[in-house]
């Protein structure tokens, strides 16, 4: 299946809420309306994959400014509706996001859950050249110390990064 990837539109929020409900999954955290609002405020870029006007999945890229004024680019979330998994949709979303990121930045980060539900995402990111940062597991954004307890929830993850390369002033990935 060859998905088309584009920036999220306001009408996509209601469509994703509907598709998410149909899939039987529970969306924790932000609603799609909130994601769209964050995109309008230029806090994130949300890209959606579609095929024949049907939404298949999305990827969220966020930008954080450090105290030193550096921009950290982070793939904050990626989701493909269950019916369209293992069809190349995740790869299409990741490729599109990287092409957009590399226009301005040389590095991208991603935090990926360590539970079994995130196995496909772990494989996808590793296959595409993402490397763990070597700092170990994070829980709620902080490095989990040796011997500490944590629940296997979405906030338990490994941080990965990828250097995006340039060639003759034209960035490639």
């Amino acid at each position: 299946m060859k998905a088309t990837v584009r920036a999220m539109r306001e009408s996509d929020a209601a469509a994703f809420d509907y598709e998410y409900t149909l899939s039987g999954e529970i969306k924790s955290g932000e609603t799609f309306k909130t994601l769209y609002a964050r995109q309008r405020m230029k806090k994130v870029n949300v890209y959606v994959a579609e095929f024949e006007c049907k939404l298949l999945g999305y990827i969220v890229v966020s930008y954080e400014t450090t105290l030193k004024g550096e921009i950290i680019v982070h793939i904050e979330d990626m989701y493909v509706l269950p019916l369209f998994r293992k069809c190349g949709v995740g790869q299409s979303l990741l490729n599109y996001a990287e092409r957009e990121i590399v226009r301005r930045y040389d590095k991208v980060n991603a935090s990926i859950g360590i539970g079994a539900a995130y196995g496909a995402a772990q494989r996808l990111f590793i296959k595409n050249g993402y490397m763990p940062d070597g700092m170990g597991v994070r829980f709620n954004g902080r490095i989990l110390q040796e011997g500490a307890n944590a629940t296997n929830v979405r906030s338990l993850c490994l941080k990965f990064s990828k250097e995006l390369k340039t060639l003759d002033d034209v960035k490639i990935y």
Side-chain angles (χ1 to χ4, degrees):
M1 169 183 307
K2 182 68 175 158
T4 301
V5 181
R6 59 169 173 75
M8 183 182 197
R9 298 180 194 133
E10 187 172 14
S11 60
D12 294 334
F16 265 123
D17 277 334
Y18 177 75
E19 291 295 336
Y20 222 93
T21 303
L22 280 183
S23 74
E25 296 195 26
I26 298 168
K27 176 73 175 156
S28 60
E30 295 181 300
T31 65
F32 296 105
K33 255 186 197 178
T34 304
L35 271 180
Y36 181 74
R38 288 180 64 208
Q39 178 174 269
R40 288 194 61 199
M41 293 186 303
K42 303 199 183 305
K43 303 276 186 195
V44 297
N45 287 332
V46 184
Y47 305 112
V48 300
E50 66 179 356
F51 180 73
E52 297 180 353
C53 299
K54 172 129 177 90
L55 297 177
L56 311 175
Y58 66 89
I59 191 167
V60 180
V61 180
S62 65
Y63 306 88
E64 177 186 340
T65 305
T66 67
L67 294 175
K68 295 180 182 179
E70 300 167 332
I71 304 288
I72 298 173
V73 182
H74 193 85
I75 295 175
E76 185 177 297
D77 194 9
M78 184 165 79
Y79 178 79
V80 176
L81 288 163
L83 187 60
F84 304 106
R85 293 179 184 161
K86 297 185 180 180
C87 296
V89 175
Q91 185 68 61
S92 294
L93 286 164
L94 188 57
N95 289 348
Y96 189 91
E98 286 183 357
R99 278 193 302 272
E100 293 299 311
I101 294 165
V102 78
R103 292 175 185 208
R104 296 182 56 206
Y105 305 100
D106 296 327
K107 183 178 180 181
V108 61
N109 299 290
S111 295
I112 304 168
I114 63 168
Y118 301 99
Q122 294 164 6
R123 288 189 304 277
L124 176 67
F125 279 83
I126 289 168
K127 181 179 96 175
N128 282 278
Y130 286 75
M131 296 293 297
D133 69 357
M135 299 299 292
V137 176
R138 287 177 169 76
F139 183 64
N140 291 328
R142 295 205 165 117
I143 296 170
L144 193 62
Q145 298 302 312
E146 192 75 31
N149 291 322
T151 305
N152 189 5
V153 294
R154 185 175 189 201
S155 56
L156 193 59
C157 60
L158 285 173
K159 186 174 179 183
F160 290 78
S161 65
K162 179 178 179 179
E163 297 290 331
L164 303 173
K165 299 184 177 29
T166 62
L167 179 64
D168 298 327
D169 294 325
V170 177
K171 294 183 178 183
I172 59 172
Y173 65 98

